[in-house]
Amino acid sequence: MTADVWLPIPPDEIEGLPEGLRYLFWDGGESGDQEFPGDPADCAVYVVPYMKRWPVKVRPLEHLTHVQVIQTLTAGVDDVTARLSAIVPGVRLCNARGVHEASTAELALTLTLASLRGIPEFVRAQQEERWRGAFHPALADKNVLIVGYGAIGSAVEDRLVPFEVARVARVARSQRTTARGPVHPLTELPSLLPEADVVILCTPLTEESRGLVDAEFLARMKDGALLVNVARGAVVDTKALLAEVESGRVMAALDVTDPEPLPPGHPLWHAPGVLISPHVGGPTSAFLPRAKRLLVDQLNRFVNQEPLRNVILTTGA
């Protein structure tokens, strides 16, 4: 059986791919119905197309009867895990840790600064040719709480350091100690939220984190606090968030929403104190070189039968 690798980046544009595999280009096409590049039964490694609709990403899964590795180009893998029943047992599912930290952390900081400093108001005033000064809070001297302290959460803290924040508190699923200080478990969130001026969500979407930011979570946030979401839209209860922002008690900067894409007419579009970007944490000029390096490393490991990086789970295990 030929060992094929389905790549969403043309193989001739990736230097360093190991010999011994047949590389086929497949990204689903513009309409999502692109023909498969070869026999799915021959595909050993499926690299999931990036920035494609969910039905396009998962369309090949039930046909990949001999696949050994599914490699996403996203940090989150919830779109694939939602179709685990279609995947044969023994398949290693790997995420793209190391690809999106820089660009997502940049956006988290951008959204935080833009919201605090009133940049949307200045843009609207510029469009109306009005010179309108205002007093806005600074990021300096603020307490920041990072919820989801993995690779992206750590990268966010790297970028917060030069801004003279008063304190960074870190939360993850399990308690641990880092060079920068303790990481608190999720169970300590209720006591940490009232002290935070800025809450940045970086957590992956799991059954535990789905709806984590509910009415109780938001009620514990201090008046005037800012919620920044660069995780997944479903981490936040949209109805509960709308109630808080429409009252003017908290602000929000959202790169992800639930539903997503946010449909025309949705009240989040015009809710006071809400800044929205269209899920653009990852797609920047930083993506392609890092994605290529990840693929070259993983495929060399695969050929040489070395442990793969970023294995999230093995199906059927």
Side-chain angles (χ1 to χ4, degrees):
M1 181 175 62
T2 304
D4 290 351
V5 176
W6 290 15
L7 293 169
I9 303 168
D12 59 359
E13 296 179 7
I14 306 176
E15 295 184 5
L17 291 174
E19 297 181 358
L21 299 169
R22 185 171 71 151
Y23 300 101
L24 303 175
F25 171 70
W26 190 81
D27 69 353
E30 291 297 324
S31 60
D33 58 359
Q34 183 185 45
E35 291 187 9
F36 293 152
D39 186 345
D42 294 338
C43 180
V45 180
Y46 171 52
V47 182
V48 181
Y50 184 58
M51 292 194 69
K52 296 289 184 175
R53 294 179 296 110
W54 180 77
V56 178
K57 295 179 177 183
V58 301
R59 182 160 70 91
L61 294 182
E62 62 184 308
H63 306 287
L64 303 176
T65 54
H66 294 91
V67 68
Q68 299 176 49
V69 179
I70 296 175
Q71 173 70 60
T72 72
L73 293 178
T74 54
V77 297
D78 46 282
D79 48 0
V80 177
T81 55
R83 286 294 302 273
L84 281 182
S85 60
I87 304 172
V88 296
V91 178
R92 288 162 288 177
L93 174 62
C94 307
N95 76 353
R97 182 185 176 99
V99 171
H100 296 289
E101 284 82 345
S103 56
T104 303
E106 279 184 7
L107 184 64
L109 196 63
T110 299
L111 290 173
T112 300
L113 290 167
S115 294
L116 291 176
R117 299 300 295 267
I119 300 301
E121 299 170 25
F122 297 146
V123 171
R124 287 190 288 269
Q126 179 181 350
Q127 291 170 339
E128 298 169 3
E129 300 181 8
R130 291 188 297 115
W131 187 272
R132 189 176 68 183
F135 182 90
H136 289 283
L139 179 55
D141 307 325
K142 295 290 186 290
N143 290 328
V144 181
L145 172 60
I146 300 174
V147 181
Y149 198 76
I152 290 176
S154 177
V156 169
E157 184 171 9
D158 289 343
R159 287 151 181 82
L160 285 170
V161 170
F163 285 84
E164 300 179 30
V165 296
R167 176 191 176 204
V168 175
R170 312 160 196 86
V171 170
R173 283 179 294 181
S174 56
Q175 184 174 358
R176 63 182 188 273
T177 301
T178 71
R180 284 213 168 104
V183 177
H184 303 271
L186 278 170
T187 53
E188 293 184 15
L189 257 180
S191 63
L192 294 170
L193 283 167
E195 302 299 319
D197 300 294
V198 180
V199 179
I200 302 178
L201 306 175
C202 305
T203 182
L205 180 61
T206 63
E207 287 308 309
E208 187 178 20
S209 66
R210 185 179 297 274
L212 173 68
V213 183
D214 55 11
E216 182 180 354
F217 182 111
L218 292 163
R220 290 182 179 277
M221 291 177 61
K222 65 165 60 175
D223 291 353
L226 170 66
L227 178 74
V228 180
N229 190 3
V230 292
R232 287 289 188 267
V235 172
V236 177
D237 180 330
T238 301
K239 183 178 179 181
L241 178 62
L242 274 168
E244 292 287 1
V245 296
E246 287 177 345
S247 73
R249 202 183 70 79
V250 300
M251 302 188 302
L254 312 171
D255 184 50
V256 288
T257 59
D258 184 22
E260 188 177 304
L262 198 63
H266 195 283
L268 265 181
W269 283 120
H270 301 289
V274 175
L275 172 60
I276 296 173
S277 58
H279 202 156
V280 291
T284 71
S285 58
F287 166 73
L288 199 55
R290 288 164 176 77
K292 290 178 179 179
R293 287 198 294 268
L294 171 68
L295 293 177
V296 169
D297 181 60
Q298 287 286 68
L299 290 168
N300 273 285
R301 288 171 175 271
F302 178 76
V303 166
N304 295 319
Q305 300 183 17
E306 298 173 354
L308 298 180
R309 297 189 189 278
N310 310 337
V311 177
I312 302 299
L313 58 84
T314 301
T315 58

